[in-house]
Amino acid sequence: MKTVVTRDRITPLLKATLATCGILAFPLITTAQTKPAAVKDKPAAAPAKGGAQVVKAPIALAYIDIATSASDMPSAMSGAMQGGQSGGFFGALGGMARGSSGSTDRGNVFGNTHSMGFSSGRYVDVSVYTSKNTALTEATQAIPAGMNLGDSLKLVAPVPDKPVPVTTTEETPTEPSYERPKGKISIYWGCGETVRPGQPRVLDVAKSSPEDYAKFFVMRGKVTKGARSQPGWPSWPNKVDDRKVPDTASLVGQHQFTGNGIPDSFKVNLGPGQDLMAPIELAQTKKDGGVNLEWKSIANARGYFISVMGGQQSGNSDSAEVIVWTSSELPDFGFGLVDYQTNADVDKWINEKVILPASTTKCDVPKGIFGEQGTGMLRMIAYGSDAVFAYPPRPADTKIAWEPDWQTKVRVKSTFSSILGGMGDMGGRRSRQSPQSSQSSPSDQPQKPEQKEEPKVKATDVLKGLLGF
């Protein structure tokens, strides 16, 4: 499977970077917090080898993806960033209009758990499947009262696309021209006030071979299966039920799935470990050309990861530079890590010092990486724990085959996005100052040499730099 990232409007060098990321394949890994159910989406009995227990695929499957997203961006700007992901300049304008029009309890869209986190909110994606009715179009999920969304959610499967008629063309095929991209990509890594020896790693896009790209783009992170919206998989939210998840929602309690072909026993109880995580509260303080990051510890977080992507350009396009920094102690491009990861992988990468342990609450972005006028998009993730539930329980006697009625996989995360250094006046936040200085009068303050006021960053400038306007 390949993960492909596309953008309609983005700088040529960054487009080349993302295209390169898209050609990297990641194996599909499934792990469980509870006893693992060795099953696949398609019903198939696992053959017994050497007296091993026979494990059959569950009749029904459900996936629940849970995400908390936070950002200090103004609503209009966050809407523009969200719209710019898929619609380029015009998508950004539409997103800006939606962001500034005020919030409502409607307009939830399936897939928000995988958005880049440009807006704040709570998101849940759910889908269910049953081998007893592979063309299932509707289902119901009874939910606990704590979700504050009534008694149930209506799950609806999308209608299969109609076949597109094949048309012939008389146009003569031509070989497309290709202009090799120019510029360079630089990667920095590690928390600290100064850049470490041996950094950055630099890739000259115009001169590099495919082998150079493969060595340069070290990216951990694996694509794992989760909620999906496709024919035969009723899902929520959808066009029929597009209510937003309230900020006060809790998923703790019993969830029951019902529908034609879904076993009556499909009742799963979620605990605090599978609830919505708290939002990340990140404070950014600029200091001597670097940025100090500090955040509150989040309950149920297994670890944290931070990445910043920006760029600099002076003169012509040949001098353009994409710059990436991550909180990892090892060089990693970071694209694949700001999303759900399995418990085993998170623990492994914590041991390798790629992911920050749950006890971490501070990290410094070294000075001098993004330059005086450089702009970077900061993304941070707190990993929750994934969990797998199945019924009936696996028999202790390996001679008895395990034939589950159902299985449910739950994934949890919390993310944060901002501009490196914080949004300042645009985000409505005040600069930090010590309690002593805030209580004393101006006459008590020692006279300091007059300093030039830092130029204020305009939202339009940020959008131009990050969306490629």
Side-chain angles (χ1 to χ4, degrees):
M1 175 176 285
K2 294 183 179 180
T3 302
V4 181
V5 184
T6 60
R7 298 290 182 271
D8 291 308
R9 296 284 296 176
I10 203 161
T11 58
L13 178 57
L14 186 52
K15 181 180 290 185
T17 304
L18 297 177
T20 303
C21 297
I23 66 172
L24 298 180
F26 303 106
L28 298 180
I29 302 295
T30 303
T31 60
Q33 183 181 28
T34 57
K35 292 183 178 179
V39 298
K40 300 180 180 179
D41 286 347
K42 296 181 180 180
K49 295 182 180 180
Q53 186 176 32
V54 173
V55 178
K56 294 187 177 181
I59 297 172
L61 293 167
Y63 292 91
I64 304 177
D65 289 345
I66 302 168
T68 302
S69 178
S71 176
D72 60 0
M73 294 183 183
S75 58
M77 183 176 176
S78 62
M81 296 297 294
Q82 196 76 27
Q85 291 184 73
S86 57
F89 176 70
F90 294 104
L93 291 181
M96 184 178 293
R98 291 190 296 272
S100 60
S101 62
S103 60
T104 67
D105 64 347
R106 294 284 175 174
N108 195 5
V109 178
F110 186 92
N112 274 335
T113 59
H114 291 279
S115 70
M116 295 185 71
F118 293 132
S119 59
S120 299
R122 310 291 179 100
Y123 303 104
V124 177
D125 288 336
V126 183
S127 62
V128 67
Y129 167 87
T130 173
S131 60
K132 297 279 188 176
N133 183 4
T134 58
L136 185 64
T137 58
E138 295 184 358
T140 299
Q141 178 184 352
I143 56 176
M147 282 193 70
N148 295 324
L149 284 171
D151 297 330
S152 63
L153 306 176
K154 186 176 182 61
L155 280 60
V156 179
V159 178
D161 294 332
K162 295 181 179 179
V164 179
V166 178
T167 57
T168 59
T169 178
E170 297 180 357
E171 294 183 5
T172 303
T174 59
E175 184 177 354
S177 60
Y178 171 73
E179 181 180 353
R180 193 176 183 88
K182 300 177 181 179
K184 62 181 181 178
I185 306 170
S186 300
I187 297 181
Y188 298 80
W189 60 93
C191 300
E193 295 185 354
T194 58
V195 175
R196 301 180 187 185
Q199 298 189 30
R201 284 188 178 178
V202 180
L203 180 75
D204 189 324
V205 178
K207 300 178 181 178
S208 299
S209 66
E211 291 75 16
D212 295 329
Y213 275 86
K215 293 178 181 178
F216 184 80
F217 287 102
V218 177
M219 291 191 297
R220 295 163 181 84
K222 297 175 181 177
V223 178
T224 57
K225 294 185 178 183
R228 73 289 307 269
S229 178
Q230 63 189 50
W233 287 78
S235 58
W236 186 90
N238 48 66
K239 294 181 179 179
V240 177
D241 186 354
D242 64 349
R243 292 171 295 167
K244 293 182 179 179
V245 179
D247 290 339
T248 56
S250 172
L251 278 72
V252 174
Q254 180 175 277
H255 298 250
Q256 179 177 7
F257 293 93
T258 56
N260 186 9
I262 297 177
D264 294 337
S265 62
F266 205 149
K267 302 176 183 179
V268 56
N269 287 285
L270 302 185
Q274 295 83 51
D275 202 3
L276 286 151
M277 298 176 70
I280 295 174
E281 298 181 39
L282 179 68
Q284 304 191 61
T285 306
K286 295 181 179 180
K287 179 181 179 183
D288 299 330
V291 180
N292 302 134
L293 308 177
E294 187 173 354
W295 59 92
K296 294 181 179 180
S297 181
I298 294 181
N300 298 326
R302 298 181 77 93
Y304 304 94
F305 182 79
I306 310 167
S307 70
V308 180
M309 184 173 187
Q312 297 187 84
Q313 181 169 339
S314 58
N316 55 43
S317 59
D318 293 1
S319 63
E321 180 183 10
V322 171
I323 303 173
V324 175
W325 169 87
T326 71
S327 57
S328 170
E329 288 291 307
L330 300 178
D332 191 295
F333 206 68
F335 274 26
L337 287 173
V338 191
D339 204 350
Y340 299 104
Q341 303 297 329
T342 66
N343 297 343
D345 283 334
V346 170
D347 294 344
K348 172 186 175 183
W349 292 324
I350 288 176
N351 291 334
E352 295 177 356
K353 298 184 178 180
V354 172
I355 291 176
L356 301 172
S359 58
T360 310
T361 57
K362 296 180 181 179
C363 177
D364 294 332
V365 180
K367 61 182 178 182
I369 292 181
F370 294 93
E372 295 181 0
Q373 301 299 326
T375 301
M377 169 56 65
L378 181 147
R379 299 182 65 202
M380 179 176 179
I381 182 171
Y383 302 99
S385 296
D386 61 17
V388 175
F389 304 89
Y391 180 85
R394 187 168 191 162
D397 187 350
T398 58
K399 296 180 181 179
I400 302 176
W402 187 23
E403 305 178 52
D405 287 347
W406 55 263
Q407 177 178 295
T408 300
K409 180 173 182 178
V410 185
R411 305 187 298 180
V412 190
K413 67 178 179 180
S414 182
T415 60
F416 179 87
S417 64
S418 181
I419 301 300
L420 180 63
M423 295 302 298
D425 294 338
M426 287 191 296
R429 300 174 65 186
R430 296 181 179 179
S431 301
R432 282 185 167 185
Q433 56 179 344
S434 65
Q436 181 179 358
S437 62
S438 63
Q439 296 174 1
S440 56
S441 63
S443 59
D444 296 332
Q445 298 294 324
Q447 295 297 320
K448 296 182 179 179
E450 184 177 350
Q451 297 180 347
K452 292 183 179 180
E453 184 179 3
E454 292 187 6
K456 293 184 178 180
V457 180
K458 297 181 180 179
T460 52
D461 294 336
V462 175
L463 288 173
K464 287 179 181 179
L466 295 175
L467 294 176
F469 296 169

